[in-house]
Amino acid sequence: MRHPLTDPPHQGEGGALAPDSRIIAGVIALAAIALLIGGAFAGLALEGAHDPSGAIAAFDGYLLRVARFTLWQALLSTLLSVAPALLVARALSRHPGFPGRRLILQLFTVPLALPAIVAALGVLALYGHAGYLAGVLGTFGSGEWPGIYGLSGILIAHVFFNLPLATRLFLEALSTVPADQWRLASQLGMGAWPALRLIEWPALRTALPGVAGLVFMLCITSFTIVLTLGGGPAATTLEVAIYQALRFDFDPARAVVLTLLQIGLTFVIVALLTRLGAKTVGDANLPVAPRRYLATGKAETVLNAGLIALALLFVAGPMAATVLAGLDADLGRLAGEEAVRRATLTSAALSFLSAMLSVTLSLSLIAARRALALRRRAGSAMSLLEHATDTGAGFVLVVPPIVIGAGWFLALRGFTDVFAVAPVMVVAVNAVMAMPFAIRAARPAYDAASERHERLCLALGISGWNRLRLVDWPSLRRPLATGFAFAMALSLGDLGVIALFGSDSVQTLPYLLLARMGSYRTADAAGLALLLGLVCLMLVVVADWLGREAKA
């Protein structure tokens, strides 16, 4: 006779495994992800088969030049982000009592919340031809400041985004150094250089490959930054070239070749990241445990304070420029424009639907993975389905949004008006792209709730909707809200898909902002950037607060 607290869960009569609605939901979620990505690949394959000669002809000097620039700017951006981050992280670690240290760390999370187009506008407002620092920068040159369009603008924007992220990741690595090592170093009277060489550098060296690989991946898949700051064919990456091939040149064959090359590069990078054990999703809640066992000399204190101050000014500068430029805009007139109100409502609706879909798909995969793990016998290997529910969402990291959009753009153009399906594509692609964040937020809470209640639910016959509503929801409410807020913020600020499918009838705030920048209405663009940045920042702050409450 079966005992509900000792027999394996989901065991039916005669040893057969009873069906589990969680597994069915997980299979449906995997099918939806496969359809989205597989449909994009099908569109690319059909287009390539339709015009093979055009695809072959696309392998020319332009393709090689774009691929070379894509790798070059990503390499430079990584070096300029990671090398200073090592120094800044060590400086912050050495001075836990530094004035405003907690505020600095909180400020370093803001770039993670800002849409790329808002940050690009902030960089232009500060360093551009008519920026706040144009007069100062012009005095160092031979005349009038020319601006930063091109490689220099791309590098500045990438460092603005990735220096704070790399600093926090390195700071987390330093916080893992055992306290006993610091106490021993203090007892031995160890100086700054021996402490760096024997204690701090081993921890930093372990984290360095993963952090550098993550930053490199973020830079090689950068679309919005290069689109807004690239400054012409000489500063074009593969993703921007895909967009230009479809929206301006309408050269599907070239778009296919560019897309396949982008997928290949991204796949190689993600594989290396996985091998290095790097985090492919940035974390805004990195634990930092202040420790101070070694005394710091005056010279080291001054040097570290200078490094922290420079990093703070570099990160805070574009943020302040965005706020000042936005406040200079005629916000009242912008709020009264029909186009702005329509774009705001469209952005809110699409981001809400995208976040709902992202959380639903993520919860389905989380629950299915847990159900399959409970069915698996101790010591046996994971089944293919369990492995898919465990890592399926991470596969989207290999395929950037612009690539999925390009594939569906080519697949749909022969059957319907591609611009009419813009809402569906924006919601679907952004939802799937936000799934790694949602899963990261909700999975620990679901596994913990399952550990407590799984056998009790089995004994009482509670499953499906009743289990979610009565048993799991109290534990999942805050983690799912965290994932929802992050997903909504990411979707709200995304430009990748809407750049391809957007039109005069379907415009989001990022799309409208880009259009105003393109028509040289910089004051309007600044006002829209301020609005968009504040909303996204508010959503991420809410997500951060919910995440902390859930852990408490």
Side-chain angles (χ1 to χ4, degrees):
M1 182 176 180
R2 184 177 63 86
H3 193 284
L5 298 181
T6 56
D7 286 353
H10 307 292
Q11 191 77 17
E13 297 298 330
L17 292 175
D20 193 321
S21 58
R22 293 177 295 177
I23 298 177
I24 297 174
V27 171
I28 294 174
L30 286 174
I33 298 172
L35 176 63
L36 182 68
I37 299 178
F41 280 114
L44 295 171
L46 290 175
E47 186 63 38
H50 176 71
D51 187 14
S53 59
I56 295 174
F59 285 94
D60 54 12
Y62 172 78
L63 177 68
L64 296 177
R65 185 167 65 251
V66 170
R68 184 168 59 247
F69 180 80
T70 301
L71 295 171
W72 177 239
Q73 63 84 22
L75 178 61
L76 287 178
S77 298
T78 302
L79 291 174
L80 293 175
S81 300
V82 172
L86 285 167
L87 301 177
V88 176
R90 181 182 178 273
L92 288 169
S93 176
R94 293 279 285 171
H95 300 277
F98 189 83
R101 183 178 185 272
R102 181 181 296 274
L103 180 62
I104 293 172
L105 293 177
Q106 291 176 345
L107 185 68
F108 276 15
T109 66
V110 174
L112 299 176
L114 283 181
I117 193 168
V118 174
L121 198 66
V123 169
L124 284 176
L126 189 63
Y127 303 105
H129 176 70
Y132 293 109
L133 296 181
V136 176
L137 294 172
T139 60
F140 294 99
S142 57
E144 187 178 9
W145 176 245
I148 57 167
Y149 281 107
L151 179 61
S152 58
I154 294 172
L155 295 179
I156 291 174
H158 281 167
V159 175
F160 166 78
F161 272 111
N162 296 312
L163 171 63
L165 173 63
T167 298
R168 292 181 65 86
L169 292 175
F170 284 134
L171 200 53
E172 181 189 27
L174 288 173
S175 71
T176 62
V177 175
D180 291 344
Q181 292 189 17
W182 289 115
R183 293 192 187 97
L184 180 60
S186 177
Q187 293 170 2
L188 295 175
M190 189 175 292
W193 173 248
L196 171 62
R197 183 168 56 90
L198 299 175
I199 299 177
E200 294 168 320
W201 175 242
L204 293 172
R205 183 180 57 201
T206 301
L208 179 60
V211 175
L214 173 60
V215 172
F216 188 83
M217 186 194 74
L218 294 174
C219 294
I220 205 172
T221 57
S222 177
F223 171 73
T224 304
I225 292 297
V226 182
L227 180 65
T228 53
L229 298 175
T236 297
T237 59
L238 288 169
E239 292 200 9
V240 174
I242 294 168
Y243 165 76
Q244 293 171 342
L246 290 177
R247 285 301 298 257
F248 298 118
D249 304 330
F250 197 72
D251 188 349
R254 182 174 294 278
V256 169
V257 174
L258 290 166
T259 302
L260 293 177
L261 183 56
Q262 175 67 41
I263 292 173
L265 287 175
T266 311
F267 180 83
V268 171
I269 295 167
V270 172
L272 290 175
L273 283 175
T274 303
R275 187 174 183 84
L276 293 171
K279 297 180 179 180
T280 52
V281 179
D283 190 351
N285 296 317
L286 297 174
V288 179
R291 293 172 180 166
R292 186 173 185 177
Y293 296 106
L294 296 181
T296 54
K298 184 176 180 180
E300 183 187 3
T301 300
V302 172
L303 178 60
N304 289 339
L307 288 172
I308 296 172
L310 287 175
L312 177 61
L313 289 174
F314 182 82
V315 174
M319 300 181 197
T322 300
V323 174
L324 293 175
L327 292 176
D328 286 340
D330 191 346
L331 298 177
R333 178 183 58 80
L334 279 176
E337 286 189 18
E338 177 63 25
V340 174
R341 291 201 301 266
R342 188 168 58 248
T344 302
L345 291 175
T346 300
S347 292
L350 295 182
S351 60
F352 179 84
L353 293 174
S354 178
M356 285 291 294
L357 180 59
S358 179
V359 168
T360 302
L361 293 175
S362 299
L363 181 58
S364 298
L365 290 184
I366 292 169
R369 185 203 66 85
R370 178 63 178 171
L372 289 167
L374 291 171
R375 285 173 173 246
R376 177 163 39 93
R377 295 183 181 276
S380 60
M382 293 173 61
S383 65
L384 180 61
L385 181 58
E386 183 182 352
H387 187 73
T389 56
D390 187 37
T391 60
F395 185 72
V396 301
L397 298 172
V398 182
V399 190
I402 192 68
V403 170
I404 298 178
W408 279 100
F409 189 97
L410 295 172
L412 295 172
R413 68 188 182 94
F415 302 97
T416 185
D417 179 8
V418 293
F419 302 110
V421 299
V424 176
M425 293 306 306
V426 170
V427 169
V429 175
N430 287 339
V432 172
M433 289 299 162
M435 284 181 64
F437 290 89
I439 290 177
R440 187 185 183 98
R443 178 168 157 176
Y446 186 89
D447 288 350
S450 174
E451 188 72 26
R452 292 193 303 268
H453 306 305
E454 190 70 38
R455 293 191 179 276
L456 180 61
C457 290
L458 179 64
L460 298 177
I462 303 176
S463 61
W465 172 252
N466 287 331
R467 169 174 176 158
L468 176 62
R469 179 173 58 90
L470 299 174
V471 179
D472 295 330
W473 179 248
S475 300
L476 293 175
R477 184 172 62 245
R478 285 189 178 275
L480 287 179
T482 300
F484 180 90
F486 268 119
M488 192 169 178
L490 290 173
S491 179
L492 194 66
D494 180 70
L495 185 63
V497 181
I498 195 66
L500 275 178
F501 289 89
S503 63
D504 291 338
S505 58
V506 181
Q507 292 186 340
T508 61
L509 277 176
Y511 187 88
L512 183 62
L513 200 163
L514 181 65
R516 296 290 170 93
M517 290 179 66
S519 58
Y520 299 102
R521 299 171 65 178
T522 53
D524 287 357
L528 293 173
L530 179 60
L531 171 64
L532 181 61
L534 288 176
V535 173
C536 290
L537 181 60
M538 180 186 67
L539 286 170
V540 172
V541 168
V542 170
D544 178 70
W545 174 74
L546 290 171
R548 292 178 187 275
E549 289 291 318
K551 292 178 182 178

